[in-house]
């Protein structure tokens, strides 16, 4: 790359960064003729949820990993991967965070989605069924006939709960599910709207410390031990149209994942920059796991569970859904 071209790319990145917060119509159609490193696009919009799962994107932004690739990334706040799907399919988003259950269910329905990078993996005590401190519910078996709050019906929350119900000799028909946003789950339990709630961090820690809630079960055990939770996805058409841009995105995310997987301080520093988690809370929450490589062997576990619990009706070979990251170097 010539010095002139490199300087042009840096200037473009700086200019876009200055207007990022207030500009919703930034030019995301820059072509290879002006793109650094021959990228088909130098500015992309990426859907992200303000929770720990998205941390690799923000580390890559904050530490300049995307800029090093000649790429400017504009994070766009979404409520969830399933909700972001229409934006991804329409091209309003170039890529998005996607929990693997949502992504693979979409694939089973014929959506041409490709998974391109890891985001998060379950770890002990990161996805727990919680109950009020004075609840008569002492074991998962006691949930029979009770109402469990989940953030989304028919998704990763209900799947995780159902794996624990199975161990206790129950099925999904033995409980009722109530859809409740994570920030409202504490109130839902306190008011009796639900008897138990499937919670994630930082809500596990905050409800334990402020409301005295207790853990009924860790849903990242048994069939869901080390369960792949979420990754970054694009459409098949987008991947075919912008292969160099995709490879640049994957390389930058891989660097960020390596950082956060080896140093907890990276997580603690990044979380307050894009979530409502303050520095004190970030220092005490139980962290997710952040795998550095997206592999078919790990992800096949999700597809197989979806088939077993009838979230999908036919098997999925996840090798056909993954676009591996380019080799380092």
């Amino acid at each position: 790359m010539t010095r002139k071209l490199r300087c042009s790319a840096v200037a473009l990145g700086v200019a876009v960064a200055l207007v990022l917060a207030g500009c919703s119509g930034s030019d995301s159609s820059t072509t290879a003729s002006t793109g650094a490193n021959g990228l088909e696009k130098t500015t992309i919009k990426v859907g992200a949820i303000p929770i720990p799962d998205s941390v690799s994107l923000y580390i890559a932004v904050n530490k300049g990993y995307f800029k090093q690739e000649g790429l400017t990334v504009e994070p766009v706040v979404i409520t969830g991967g399933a909700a972001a799907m229409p934006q991804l399919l329409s091209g309003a988003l170039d890529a998005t965070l996607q929990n693997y259950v949502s992504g693979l269910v979409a694939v089973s329905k014929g959506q041409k989605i490709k998974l391109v990078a890891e985001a998060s993996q379950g770890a002990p005590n990161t996805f727990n069924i919680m109950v009020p401190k004075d609840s008569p519910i002492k074991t998962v078996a006691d949930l029979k006939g009770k109402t469990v709050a989940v953030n989304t019906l028919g998704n990763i929350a209900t799947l995780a709960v159902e794996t624990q119900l199975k161990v206790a000799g129950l099925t999904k028909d033995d409980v009722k599910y109530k859809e409740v946003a994570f920030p409202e789950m504490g109130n839902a339990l306190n008011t009796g709207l639900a008897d138990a709630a499937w919670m994630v961090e930082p809500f596990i820690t905050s409800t334990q410390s402020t409301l005295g809630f207790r853990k009924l079960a860790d849903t990242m055990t048994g069939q869901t031990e080390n369960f792949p939770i979420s990754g970054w996805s694009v459409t098949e058409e987008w991947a075919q149209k912008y292969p160099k841009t995709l490879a640049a995105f994957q390389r930058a995310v891989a660097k960020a994942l390596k950082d956060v997987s080896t140093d907890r301080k990276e997580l603690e520093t990044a979380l307050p920059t894009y979530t409502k988690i303050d520095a004190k809370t970030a220092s005490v929450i139980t962290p997710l796991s952040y795998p550095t490589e997206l592999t078919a062997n790990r992800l096949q576990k999700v597809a197989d569970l979806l088939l077993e619990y009838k979230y999908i009706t036919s098997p999925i070979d996840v090798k056909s859904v993954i676009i591996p990251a380019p080799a380092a170097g």
Side-chain angles (χ1 to χ4, degrees), residues 198-217:
W198 185 77
M199 292 188 180
V200 302
E201 289 287 28
F203 306 104
I204 293 172
T205 295
S206 64
T207 57
Q208 283 178 323
S209 62
T210 62
L211 300 173
F213 284 7
R214 57 183 170 83
K215 178 180 75 174
L216 182 69

Side-chain angles (χ1 to χ4, degrees), residues 58-71 252 255:
Y58 290 91
I59 288 176
V61 170
N62 296 340
K63 299 185 77 171
Y65 293 157
F66 290 123
K67 288 291 181 65
Q68 291 170 15
E69 295 287 344
L71 188 60
K255 289 179 183 178

